[in-house]
C-alpha cells in the first residue's frame, strides 16, 4: 500500500459531482452508502491522484480549495473554456465545481 493524502470535498449530489469530475479526467472508483437512501461517499481518481466526494454534511466545508498538478493544463483549460494564467511556479487555472469547491490546477513551468 502506498501512503497518500486524499482531500474530502463536500458535494450535494455525488452522481452529479462525479459527472463534473469526469470532465477533469477522473473516474469513479467506488461508492459507499450505509443504507439505501443514505448519503453517498465516493472516490474518484485520475491516475494516482484521488479525491473523496461526500454527501455527509459533517465531512467537509463548502468552498474548499484543492491544488492539482497536471501534465497538460492546456487540455483542461480548453475543456472548460478558460485561459491559463502564467504564474512564476506554473501555468494554472482556477475552477469551481458544481458545489462551489475550488480547484486550482497547474502545470509547473520548469
Amino acid at each position: 500500500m502506498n501512503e497518500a493524502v486524499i482531500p474530502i470535498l463536500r458535494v450535494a449530489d455525488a452522481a452529479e459531482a462525479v459527472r463534473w469530475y469526469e470532465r477533469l479526467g477522473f473516474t469513479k472508483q467506488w461508492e459507499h452508502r450505509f443504507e439505501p437512501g443514505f448519503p453517498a461517499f465516493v472516490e474518484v481518481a485520475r491516475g494516482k491522484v484521488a479525491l473523496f466526494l461526500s454527501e455527509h454534511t459533517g465531512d467537509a466545508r463548502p468552498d474548499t480549495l484543492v491544488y492539482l498538478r497536471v501534465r497538460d493544463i492546456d487540455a483542461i483549460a480548453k475543456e472548460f473554456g478558460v485561459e491559463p494564467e502564467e504564474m512564476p511556479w506554473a501555468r494554472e487555472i482556477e475552477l469551481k465545481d458544481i458545489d462551489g469547491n475550488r480547484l486550482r490546477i497547474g502545470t509547473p513551468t520548469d
Side-chain angles (χ1 to χ4, degrees), residues 78-106:
K78 183 177 179 182
E79 169 68 24
F80 287 88
V82 297
E83 289 293 321
E85 185 176 348
E86 301 291 336
M87 303 303 285
W89 54 87
R91 296 181 67 238
E92 59 184 34
I93 62 174
E94 186 166 318
L95 301 174
K96 279 193 175 190
D97 72 10
I98 58 175
D99 294 288
N101 296 300
R102 296 176 302 137
L103 292 101
R104 198 165 295 150
I105 307 166

Side-chain angles (χ1 to χ4, degrees):
M1 182 199 87
N2 293 326
E3 294 184 357
V5 173
I6 304 175
I8 300 172
L9 300 176
R10 174 77 170 92
V11 298
D13 183 318
E16 286 185 29
V18 166
R19 283 191 290 279
W20 191 89
Y21 280 90
E22 286 173 342
R23 292 179 63 198
L24 284 173
F26 285 86
T27 57
K28 182 177 171 181
Q29 303 300 297
W30 51 263
E31 177 178 325
H32 177 270
R33 293 176 190 267
F34 285 103
E35 291 185 25
F38 276 41
F41 191 88
V42 177
E43 180 181 348
V44 294
R46 175 190 162 114
K48 293 182 180 183
V49 176
L51 296 171
F52 289 148
L53 307 176
S54 178
E55 293 177 354
H56 296 265
T57 56
D59 279 352
R61 297 171 141 301
D63 194 38
T64 296
L65 173 63
V66 174
Y67 194 95
L68 299 174
R69 187 172 287 153
V70 299
R71 283 183 177 65
D72 185 5
I73 190 60
D74 293 313
I76 294 171
K78 183 177 179 182
E79 169 68 24
F80 287 88
V82 297
E83 289 293 321
E85 185 176 348
E86 301 291 336
M87 303 303 285
W89 54 87
R91 296 181 67 238
E92 59 184 34
I93 62 174
E94 186 166 318
L95 301 174
K96 279 193 175 190
D97 72 10
I98 58 175
D99 294 288
N101 296 300
R102 296 176 302 137
L103 292 101
R104 198 165 295 150
I105 307 166
T107 298
T109 52
D110 291 344

